[in-house]
Amino acid sequence: MVLLTLICYFFFLQSYGASPTAQTLDLKPQHYNPKLPPRTLSSSKKFEGSSDLVNLRYHMGPVLSSPINIYLIWYGKWAPSQQLLIKDFLLSISTSNHRAAPSPSVSDWWSTVSLYTDQTGANVSRSILLAGEYSDRLYSHGTHLTRLSVQEVIASSVRSAPFPVDHKNGIYLILTSVDVTVQDFCRAVCGFHYFTFPSMVGYTLPYAWVGNSGKQCPELCAYPFAVPGYMRGGGPGELSPPNGDVGVDGMISVIAHELAELSSNPLVNAWYAGEDPTAPAEIGDLCEGLYGSGGGGGYIGQVMKDGGGRTFNLNGRRGSKYLVQWIWSPVLKACAGPNALD
């Protein structure tokens, strides 16, 4: 099972030092980093986390090279404003017009994901379409889901016919509301991706699940917008989320993480490091906790603040802003993001 583990979070949460120096803000974004470490993980400021020890390999499986259709399942009760934030992020992936979304943009960020290819040389697609939505406001499978019942939620959406069975171009994204608990959520995972079992759904379909941690464990799954109690007063403190919603802003980085891995490793037999396909280190895992230049060793890296003090590193459509982790580049063999300083 492919997991977004919390192990790295505990590591870098415990690594912070003194409080950051106050900065004067104006209307232009300011670069901001809560206490840069004395030495970064690489000599370049642009590509952090480079290492010859990372053995990311291709295992001959498919990547999502055709235009990607996202089928979005809202499980539980969601505010329209929350849904709009997430949909704007998803639609920003294909918004390559820099007038609509100036650099550094979500589309620029996805360009690193699109560097991954299959055995035919076909790249992960840069075309992302929100193909359908399904709202399960009645909690048809209860307010606690297991890994198997997550697949049952997908099966219900397919059987009730709002969604087609799109086994060629489709991925199914299940988002659970703040009042839904999920097996291993907040204990071992913030999100995960896998593929459905034919015995459960009738087909093998790539899917991802991400939960809203806003009331359950924001200090783990919405970091750095919330921090553990033991860090308050001694570390840099929580950062202001770009859209004012700790849970949803935290979800968006996890969604990005899972979509990047789902696209480059949809059947868990394509791009990953390690020898165990049931516990691989994928392209998001390798850069967990890195958001900008100078990151690593417990530091998120240099990001930006707007005039209201909100923290971000990517621009999206319609003036939206997000804080999203970097992704491992197969070309640079390092973590990379479009907000790099050089």
Side-chain angles (χ1 to χ4, degrees):
M1 197 67 77
V2 183
L3 307 177
L4 174 57
T5 63
L6 301 179
I7 296 173
C8 290
Y9 280 104
F10 284 115
F11 174 78
F12 68 71
L13 285 177
Q14 295 172 344
S15 302
Y16 281 88
S19 300
T21 302
Q23 292 188 343
T24 301
L25 301 178
D26 55 27
L27 295 179
K28 295 182 179 180
Q30 302 293 308
H31 292 292
Y32 170 76
N33 187 347
K35 187 67 177 177
L36 280 171
R39 294 182 181 178
T40 59
L41 294 181
S42 66
S43 57
S44 168
K45 292 181 181 179
K46 190 169 186 179
F47 311 119
E48 304 302 328
S50 60
S51 173
D52 295 332
L53 301 177
V54 174
N55 186 22
L56 182 73
R57 294 191 298 115
Y58 176 56
H59 296 79
M60 305 306 290
V63 300
L64 299 182
S65 57
S66 299
I68 300 170
N69 295 329
I70 296 180
Y71 297 94
L72 190 53
I73 301 173
W74 303 99
Y75 191 86
K77 293 181 173 64
W78 290 86
S81 59
Q82 294 177 319
Q83 293 176 315
L84 184 60
L85 276 178
I86 292 172
K87 288 192 290 185
D88 270 344
F89 173 76
L90 296 174
L91 293 171
S92 294
I93 293 174
S94 293
T95 305
S96 56
N97 184 332
H98 283 167
R99 287 188 176 182
S103 292
S105 69
V106 176
S107 179
D108 295 336
W109 176 87
W110 189 262
S111 66
T112 299
V113 183
S114 70
L115 294 173
Y116 288 88
T117 61
D118 63 15
Q119 57 186 306
T120 71
N123 294 75
V124 169
S125 177
R126 297 197 66 170
S127 175
I128 310 291
L129 174 68
L130 187 54
E133 296 179 67
Y134 172 62
S135 293
D136 189 339
R137 292 180 172 272
L138 299 179
Y139 306 88
S140 61
H141 294 273
T143 57
H144 176 74
L145 301 178
T146 65
R147 292 177 182 276
L148 288 180
S149 60
V150 166
Q151 295 197 28
E152 291 172 353
V153 171
I154 300 173
S156 296
S157 69
V158 171
R159 293 192 195 106
S160 59
F163 289 164
V165 175
D166 189 352
H167 57 84
K168 290 186 177 180
N169 299 334
I171 60 176
Y172 296 77
L173 179 59
I174 304 94
L175 304 178
T176 50
S177 58
V178 71
D179 54 342
V180 176
T181 60
V182 177
Q183 180 183 357
D184 294 329
F185 186 32
C186 294
R187 184 182 65 83
V189 300
C190 300
F192 61 78
H193 76 88
Y194 207 58
F195 51 85
T196 61
F197 304 139
S199 60
M200 297 288 294
V201 180
Y203 303 88
T204 299
L205 304 172
Y207 75 92
W209 159 80
V210 179
N212 186 336
S213 68
K215 292 183 179 179
Q216 298 183 50
C217 59
E219 70 281 3
L220 298 177
C221 293
Y223 185 89
F225 305 131
V227 299
Y230 67 82
M231 284 186 64
R232 298 190 183 105
E238 63 269 5
L239 303 183
S240 179
N243 300 289
D245 189 319
V246 168
V248 173
D249 277 309
M251 281 185 80
I252 286 171
S253 188
V254 183
I255 290 169
H257 176 121
E258 296 301 336
L259 288 181
E261 295 183 343
L262 186 59
S263 299
S264 59
N265 195 27
L267 300 181
V268 201
N269 60 358
W271 289 95
Y272 63 87
E275 300 303 322
D276 184 359
T278 66
E282 299 177 277
I283 67 172
D285 301 325
L286 295 171
C287 301
E288 202 167 310
L290 289 173
Y291 295 83
S293 298
Y299 299 86
I300 69 170
Q302 295 203 38
V303 294
M304 294 175 283
K305 281 186 175 181
D306 66 12
R310 295 176 291 266
T311 312
F312 69 101
N313 64 353
L314 299 178
N315 295 299
R317 66 194 293 266
R318 303 191 319 125
S320 56
K321 299 182 187 302
Y322 309 99
L323 186 67
V324 174
Q325 70 155 90
W326 282 11
I327 291 296
W328 187 265
S329 167
V331 174
L332 303 168
K333 299 189 185 307
C335 298
N339 60 306
L341 293 183
D342 62 356

